[in-house]
Amino acid sequence: MDYQLFAKKLETISAIPITAFHDDLSVNWEGVKENINYLIEHELEVVVPCGNTSEFYALSIEEAKEEIRRVVEYVNGRALVVAGIGYAVPTAVELGNYAKEAGADAVMIHMPVHPYITSNGATQYFKSIIEQVDLPALVYFKDPNVSDDVLKELAPLEKLVGVKYAINDLPRFTKLVREVPTSHNIAWICGTAEKWAPYYWNAGAVGFTSGLVNILPSKSFELLEALRANDHKTSWDVWEYVLPFEELRAKYNNGNNVVVIKEAMEAVGLTAGKTREPVAALNEADHAEVEALLETWGLKTTQNL
Amino acid sequence: MDYQLFAKKLETISAIPITAFHDDLSVNWEGVKENINYLIEHELEVVVPCGNTSEFYALSIEEAKEEIRRVVEYVNGRALVVAGIGYAVPTAVELGNYAKEAGADAVMIHMPVHPYITSNGATQYFKSIIEQVDLPALVYFKDPNVSDDVLKELAPLEKLVGVKYAINDLPRFTKLVREVPTSHNIAWICGTAEKWAPYYWNAGAVGFTSGLVNILPSKSFELLEALRANDHKTSWDVWEYVLPFEELRAKYNNGNNVVVIKEAMEAVGLTAGKTREPVAALNEADHAEVEALLETWGLKTTQNL
């Protein structure tokens, strides 16, 4: 396994697919398949089932496994599949080993959901999972109370190929990137999507996560290309264009994060369905904002996607 | 089922047992049994396996089930067993139904670990679990970003017998208690233990959770009796006595919460073992503080417990 080469392949958009649900909240696998095909047809190169936009924390462990297995099958070699895994160490290892068997290319280890985390304990948490799962691994780092020393200690591990950093403390991120030797081949990924990508990029990120790609992949790629080309004018223009959508997702302490995407997808004829608990449908005002924004974007029909 | 009577039985200390681990981090069931017997011998009336002090989030789902089953067996009718359940709705329901079959008396539903929570979605989350599990239920409420309207909407549900409130915004808690009709028979439990119990009690709480009971149950009961008797002098004296321990547990954004208890237990000859990831052992200075405190408390031998 050439981990260095693998890390290079992460220098792009990490697409986090939604998990489509039927009205009774069972998983709509046909809808998941449609969505994955949509992402691949729009040239996404990295697909992350069981990410936060996939409502990972609303899936049972068995459903999470099925999502990983099916996404590998639907992607069918046309992109890298990075499977989200998490919870307690034994559960994360179980999911990781399942992902390996199912043919996933890598795992993304979620931040532990444990209410008590010590920085040394977090290092042990990630290390234990990375060691027990025979796949390249990314760490999803989002708890500002946990020290970046965790990442500095994990960085020399050969299997650690990327960090999805989601703490919007940019000087902190910048220091971290500069302190980890480039010889460790860590792909630094902005974990807070298009709204924050330009700042992270400027500080050393080489990719960003996106939920927006489920509905408007062209703009995400426009941003990626502009960032790569160091074209500030274009990148801030795209940023401004997508900002209202991202800000609507950020409402209610991010409560709206996924439901905005899903209702937008449904509004333009894609299949997404409802969100599961603990996320409810948008209120009327927010839904009207989604509709208005789709109109601005020229997406009120299923054309031009 | 007389839910009103059941709610009355919660007007006491909710003991959250630790989960003992061997050095290889496998569960030490013999140690769990010892600890449960210790709690029962010290007259704890409500035992909550799979609470946060039990490192619920470090257990696999299968281990969580086994902990519930074994604690019911070890308690053997000598106290109420309130089983902690949580994660995604299907997982929580699976754990709840397992708890029912195993003979638990009630369930305590953890706050969802989902990164995106809307208040309406949280209501649906708890409601869905309460409706699908045939046991009295408590809601563990700890996310300040979620509105108390959730609890007001859930309060009329007959099966909801208690709320473990763990947001230390006391005016917020007071308003909530006053706005929910007493006819709904909700036992309001201070979810942040001895350090906060006097304030919650003053505002209408009738019980409090405790991790301290795993090592110093006499003081927890002294506090309970003082609060019941409205004996401020004694309650603040006990509060001051246990405060250094609780503050040591609160260090590192609560990272120390469980490991302080476990290292104290080991120091006095009880069985607790290590904590699992993402919680590491205490550093030397903190461990020395634990030892010094045990000395102050006269607990440096296994006598006088």
Side-chain angles (χ1 to χ4, degrees):
Chain A
M1 179 80 206
D2 187 336
Y3 293 101
Q4 187 173 354
L5 184 69
F6 192 90
K8 291 296 286 179
K9 291 186 184 170
L10 299 171
E11 299 186 359
T12 183
I13 300 166
S14 291
I16 323 290
I18 56 94
T19 302
F21 292 118
H22 292 293
D23 278 353
D24 68 357
L25 298 183
S26 61
V27 182
N28 178 351
W29 295 114
E30 222 17 74
V32 171
K33 186 176 184 175
E34 271 179 42
N35 182 239
I36 296 296
N37 281 330
Y38 177 87
L39 292 171
I40 301 297
E41 283 156 18
H42 287 83
E43 304 187 343
L44 272 303
E45 301 156 302
V46 174
V47 176
V48 187
C50 293
N52 281 340
T53 302
S54 324
E55 297 176 72
F56 172 62
Y57 292 103
L59 302 175
S60 70
I61 306 300
E62 288 311 310
E63 287 171 330
K65 286 182 180 173
E66 187 166 357
E67 175 154 315
I68 292 167
R69 179 174 64 72
R70 284 180 180 261
V71 168
V72 170
E73 178 193 323
Y74 300 155
V75 166
N76 195 19
R78 296 175 292 168
L80 292 185
V81 176
V82 178
I85 64 174
Y87 296 120
V89 169
T91 308
V93 170
E94 182 188 337
L95 284 167
N97 289 334
Y98 186 89
K100 166 81 182 180
E101 287 217 0
D105 299 288
V107 292
M108 175 193 76
I109 309 169
H110 282 272
M111 198 82 197
V113 293
H114 205 293
Y116 315 127
I117 303 181
T118 63
S119 290
N120 284 340
T123 305
Q124 290 168 15
Y125 175 88
F126 289 116
K127 198 167 175 218
S128 177
I129 298 166
I130 291 169
E131 283 174 352
Q132 292 178 71
V133 175
D134 182 25
L135 280 177
L138 289 90
V139 163
Y140 184 8
F141 204 74
K142 66 180 291 187
D143 183 341
N145 294 303
V146 177
S147 165
D148 288 339
D149 290 345
V150 172
L151 296 169
K152 290 183 215 162
E153 284 180 39
L154 296 173
L157 295 177
E158 193 187 26
K159 281 197 274 179
L160 184 70
V161 291
V163 170
K164 176 177 167 181
Y165 200 84
I167 302 163
N168 293 327
D169 177 339
L170 294 155
R172 181 173 161 172
F173 175 69
T174 310
K175 277 190 284 182
L176 173 65
V177 171
R178 292 174 68 86
E179 285 173 22
V180 172
T182 53
S183 58
H184 290 329
N185 300 307
I186 306 287
W188 297 102
I189 310 293
C190 163
T192 50
E194 288 82 358
K195 181 176 170 185
W196 290 90
Y199 314 104
Y200 279 80
W201 200 278
N202 198 25
V206 293
F208 57 89
T209 59
S210 176
L212 182 69
V213 287
N214 290 288
I215 180 143
L216 194 66
S218 60
K219 282 290 165 184
S220 302
F221 274 109
E222 206 177 321
L223 179 60
L224 179 69
E225 293 310 326
L227 292 171
R228 283 177 174 166
N230 208 15
D231 172 356
H232 296 293
K233 170 75 173 70
T234 305
S235 63
W236 292 118
D237 282 351
V238 178
W239 180 87
E240 190 175 357
Y241 189 86
V242 304
L243 191 63
F245 190 77
E246 294 299 297
E247 296 208 315
L248 197 52
R249 292 177 65 196
K251 274 180 88 167
Y252 316 118
N253 191 42
N254 283 318
N256 268 5
N257 187 294
V258 180
V259 66
V260 163
I261 295 176
K262 286 188 146 183
E263 295 197 12
M265 289 174 71
E266 285 288 333
V268 300
L270 298 170
T271 304
K274 297 190 207 176
T275 45
R276 270 196 185 167
E277 314 94 338
V279 180
L282 291 177
N283 63 36
E284 261 180 56
D286 288 346
H287 185 80
E289 264 197 65
V290 170
E291 296 268 355
L293 192 56
L294 293 172
E295 192 104 31
T296 315
W297 285 353
L299 290 185
K300 276 301 290 173
T301 72
T302 54
Q303 267 122 52
N304 305 323
L305 295 181
Chain B
M1 180 80 205
D2 186 337
Y3 293 101
Q4 188 174 353
L5 184 69
F6 193 89
K8 292 294 288 180
K9 290 185 185 169
L10 299 171
E11 299 185 358
T12 182
I13 300 165
S14 291
I16 322 292
I18 55 93
T19 302
F21 292 118
H22 292 293
D23 278 353
D24 68 358
L25 296 183
S26 62
V27 182
N28 178 352
W29 295 114
E30 224 14 77
V32 172
K33 185 175 185 176
E34 270 178 43
N35 182 239
I36 296 296
N37 281 330
Y38 177 87
L39 293 171
I40 301 296
E41 282 156 19
H42 287 84
E43 304 189 340
L44 273 302
E45 300 156 303
V46 173
V47 175
V48 186
C50 293
N52 281 340
T53 302
S54 323
E55 297 176 72
F56 173 62
Y57 292 103
L59 302 175
S60 70
I61 306 299
E62 288 311 310
E63 289 171 328
K65 286 182 180 173
E66 186 166 358
E67 173 153 316
I68 292 167
R69 179 175 63 73
R70 285 181 180 261
V71 168
V72 169
E73 177 193 321
Y74 300 155
V75 166
N76 194 19
R78 295 176 293 167
L80 292 184
V81 176
V82 178
I85 64 174
Y87 296 118
V89 170
T91 308
V93 170
E94 182 187 337
L95 285 167
N97 289 334
Y98 186 88
K100 165 83 182 177
E101 286 217 2
D105 299 289
V107 291
M108 176 192 75
I109 308 168
H110 282 272
M111 199 81 196
V113 293
H114 205 293
Y116 314 128
I117 304 182
T118 63
S119 290
N120 284 340
T123 305
Q124 289 167 16
Y125 175 88
F126 288 117
K127 199 168 172 217
S128 177
I129 298 166
I130 292 169
E131 283 174 350
Q132 291 179 71
V133 175
D134 183 25
L135 279 176
L138 289 89
V139 163
Y140 185 6
F141 204 76
K142 65 179 294 186
D143 183 341
N145 294 303
V146 177
S147 164
D148 288 339
D149 290 346
V150 172
L151 295 170
K152 290 183 214 161
E153 284 180 40
L154 296 173
L157 296 177
E158 193 187 25
K159 281 196 274 180
L160 184 70
V161 291
V163 171
K164 175 177 167 180
Y165 201 84
I167 303 162
N168 293 327
D169 177 339
L170 294 156
R172 180 173 161 171
F173 175 68
T174 310
K175 278 191 283 182
L176 172 65
V177 171
R178 292 174 67 84
E179 285 173 22
V180 172
T182 53
S183 58
H184 290 329
N185 301 308
I186 305 287
W188 297 102
I189 310 293
C190 163
T192 49
E194 288 81 359
K195 181 176 170 186
W196 290 89
Y199 314 104
Y200 278 80
W201 200 278
N202 197 26
V206 293
F208 57 88
T209 59
S210 176
L212 181 70
V213 288
N214 290 289
I215 179 144
L216 195 65
S218 60
K219 282 291 165 184
S220 302
F221 275 109
E222 205 176 323
L223 178 60
L224 179 69
E225 294 308 326
L227 293 172
R228 284 177 173 164
N230 207 16
D231 172 356
H232 297 294
K233 170 74 172 71
T234 305
S235 62
W236 292 117
D237 282 351
V238 178
W239 179 86
E240 190 176 356
Y241 189 88
V242 305
L243 191 64
F245 190 77
E246 294 299 298
E247 297 208 315
L248 198 52
R249 293 177 63 196
K251 274 180 89 168
Y252 316 117
N253 191 41
N254 282 318
N256 267 5
N257 187 294
V258 179
V259 66
V260 163
I261 295 176
K262 285 188 146 181
E263 295 197 13
M265 288 174 71
E266 286 287 334
V268 300
L270 298 170
T271 305
K274 296 190 206 174
T275 44
R276 270 195 185 166
E277 316 91 341
V279 181
L282 291 177
N283 62 37
E284 260 180 58
D286 288 345
H287 185 81
E289 264 196 66
V290 170
E291 296 269 355
L293 192 56
L294 292 172
E295 192 105 31
T296 315
W297 285 353
L299 290 185
K300 275 302 289 175
T301 71
T302 54
Q303 269 122 50
N304 304 325
L305 295 181

